Amino acid sequence: MSRTPPDAGGFVRRVGPFQATAINMSQMCGIGPFVTIPLMVAAFGGPQAVIGFAAGALLALADGLVWAELGAAMPGSGGSYVYLRQAFQYRTGRLMPFLFVWTAMLFIPLIMSTGVVGFVQYLGYLAPDMSRTTGDLVGLGMVALVVVLLWRGIEHIARITAVMWAVMITSVTLVIVASATDFSAARAFTYPAHAFALSSGHFWVGFAAGLTIGIYDYLGYNTTAYMGAEIKEPGRTLPRSVIYSILGIMAIYLLLQIGTLGVVDWKRMTDPGDIASTSVASAVMEETWGRGAADTVTVLILITAFASVFTGLLGGSRVPYDAAREQVFFRPYARLHPKHRFPTLGLATMGVITAIGFLIGRHTDLATLIQLLTTVMVIVQALAQVVALSVLRRRQPGLRRPYRMWLYPLPSFLALAGWLTIYGYADKNSPGRHPIEWSLAWLALGLIAFVVWARLEKVWPFGPKEISEEYLNPPVTPEAEPAEA
């Protein structure tokens, strides 16, 4: 099968270091921190919950260095899809990129469904008498509205993303500043007995839960890797955008977490009957600047939640489309709307899964939903991609690597340990929910789907493997050549 050159397809390298970092940060910090601070506190059982955000940042940095080397070496459009295809094609043909798309069609909309859950939670602050049924209908209506808006196509996504970024930054800044005006160090740094008892099994279960919540909040540090064909000097820009965005968001999250704990007693965040357990940012604003300010920030958070779901489904629906267009997924997903030119089946599928994920989150809890989406993501994307880096170093030693992982292979081992911790403790942190079993069931269905698809397409194991090493000697142009780090 012939493939287009890595820089073909009309992409222009116009995204510089500042814009690339801003893109990553805008994807990382949406509704997440506003809904996960109480979850983090509940996981650790006290204000020592800041450990979770720090641990999440460490895992994000270690994994980010994997993305940095792979993205700088193969700066095309597709991210994990490209890296897994290149690394594992020698033994399993198109199996790994197919499974990545299969799992992405679950974990991407599940991430979006957390935004819908957060929207309904914060709406509950403005409408405290809203019933559970009404909340369910509001969330489903929100998903339907997003799909309807996207069904008409969108031509100004950059402007919408910029507005979302501005609203999100405004919301976070207001909460941080407000918390600083009424900050109590005693409240923020008084820990319960045995809070740091490392010999306690309870501590490590809480740490694993906090690590899961933390990495969920940092997801998005790899966004620029998916748009590598549009990055200026990707050998320099892509690694820097990953590292700078993680450090920047870590600073924001720590200020937000510590500031919140300095205003609202942590026990309120673990009380299901207290508004601080579902709308902690609103509670902080009400405690410091009054109800009017709380209402205003709540509206900004609602806008952020809606916009994050909108842009997430817009981008996510393109994943199966790109794969199907390159004949690595089911062909119907390659069809575009005849007038507005968007992938209809991908958008419809992810819209339905987002709605189902929202109902799961509403009728179990948000922590369980986060556990489910992370366990689905871990095997095929996170773990496989760490392995892919080492495989490519062995299989394609001649691959040009403008950036090479610092202290290799230590960050790879650290990333593996972090992802395995998240996966291994998933069932313990969601008793009775069985996220590991659900993730394995989805993977098994993906293997069955691959066999059916491979039979129809007559590819491995029912045909040749079709090895393609287009990044070994890519066509070099002044626009495409990456600078050495």
Side-chain angles (χ1 to χ4, degrees), residues 371-384:
Q371 291 282 358
L372 179 58
L373 72 89
T374 49
T375 50
V376 169
M377 183 184 70
V378 162
I379 299 177
V380 177
Q381 184 183 49
L383 295 180

Side-chain angles (χ1 to χ4, degrees), residues 442-484:
W442 186 256
L443 181 62
L445 287 175
L447 290 171
I448 295 171
F450 173 78
V451 170
V452 173
W453 172 83
R455 182 69 177 177
L456 293 173
E457 297 291 336
K458 295 180 175 59
V459 298
W460 183 91
F462 304 102
K465 290 179 181 174
E466 300 174 341
I467 304 300
S468 173
E469 298 176 328
E470 66 263 36
Y471 286 93
L472 274 177
N473 295 292
V476 178
T477 65
E479 296 81 9
E481 183 176 6
E484 295 288 347

Side-chain angles (χ1 to χ4, degrees), residues 189-201:
F189 300 113
T190 299
Y191 306 106
H194 311 296
F196 301 100
L198 301 185
S199 59
S200 168

Side-chain angles (χ1 to χ4, degrees), residues 216-241:
Y216 159 78
D217 280 326
Y218 286 98
L219 290 179
Y221 57 85
N222 51 12
T223 302
T224 47
Y226 284 96
M227 47 189 299
E230 301 165 78
I231 303 294
K232 289 180 183 178
E233 297 185 309
R236 280 178 173 268
T237 301
L238 207 152
R240 292 179 180 184
S241 70

Side-chain angles (χ1 to χ4, degrees), residues 200-223:
S200 168
H202 176 75
F203 175 87
W204 291 110
V205 171
F207 177 83
L211 181 62
T212 304
I213 296 166
I215 196 63
Y216 159 78
D217 280 326
Y218 286 98
L219 290 179
Y221 57 85
N222 51 12
T223 302

Side-chain angles (χ1 to χ4, degrees), residues 20 28 61 121 189 195 197 260 265 276 279 329 448 459:
M28 294 166 73
L61 278 171
Q121 283 185 1
F189 300 113
T260 299
D265 187 275
S279 307
F329 204 63
I448 295 171
V459 298

Side-chain angles (χ1 to χ4, degrees), residues 312-485:
L313 282 181
L314 174 71
S317 63
R318 271 64 178 172
V319 172
Y321 164 73
D322 288 336
R325 188 180 57 178
E326 290 199 6
Q327 300 176 24
V328 188
F329 204 63
F330 294 105
R331 293 187 182 186
Y333 282 94
R335 296 172 186 165
L336 294 174
H337 189 279
K339 180 180 179 181
H340 299 297
R341 311 301 294 169
F342 66 88
T344 53
L345 188 55
L347 177 58
T349 302
M350 289 196 173
V352 170
I353 296 175
T354 299
I356 295 172
F358 161 71
L359 292 176
I360 292 173
R362 283 279 290 173
H363 292 273
T364 56
D365 54 74
L366 185 58
T368 295
L369 187 58
I370 292 173
Q371 291 282 358
L372 179 58
L373 72 89
T374 49
T375 50
V376 169
M377 183 184 70
V378 162
I379 299 177
V380 177
Q381 184 183 49
L383 295 180
Q385 192 161 286
V386 173
V387 174
L389 185 144
S390 297
V391 169
L392 283 169
R393 284 198 173 199
R394 180 172 59 87
R395 285 283 191 174
Q396 298 186 16
L399 182 67
R400 187 166 184 263
R401 294 175 172 84
Y403 167 80
R404 298 177 72 89
M405 176 187 285
W406 301 330
L407 303 176
Y408 175 85
L410 182 59
S412 289
F413 290 146
L414 185 60
L416 277 174
W419 291 119
L420 287 172
T421 298
I422 287 173
Y423 196 80
Y425 278 85
D427 278 354
K428 292 183 180 179
N429 286 311
S430 297
R433 309 298 186 190
H434 308 295
I436 291 178
E437 287 80 355
W438 282 109
S439 68
L440 292 176
W442 186 256
L443 181 62
L445 287 175
L447 290 171
I448 295 171
F450 173 78
V451 170
V452 173
W453 172 83
R455 182 69 177 177
L456 293 173
E457 297 291 336
K458 295 180 175 59
V459 298
W460 183 91
F462 304 102
K465 290 179 181 174
E466 300 174 341
I467 304 300
S468 173
E469 298 176 328
E470 66 263 36
Y471 286 93
L472 274 177
N473 295 292
V476 178
T477 65
E479 296 81 9
E481 183 176 6
E484 295 288 347

Side-chain angles (χ1 to χ4, degrees), residues 1-8 73-77 81-83 85-87 89-90 326 396 399-400 466-476:
M1 179 179 63
S2 63
R3 294 192 182 275
T4 57
D7 294 314
M74 294 171 282
S77 177
Y81 165 77
V82 173
Y83 316 147
R85 186 188 71 203
Q86 287 294 304
Q89 61 183 332
Y90 303 97
E326 290 199 6
Q396 298 186 16
L399 182 67
R400 187 166 184 263
E466 300 174 341
I467 304 300
S468 173
E469 298 176 328
E470 66 263 36
Y471 286 93
L472 274 177
N473 295 292
V476 178

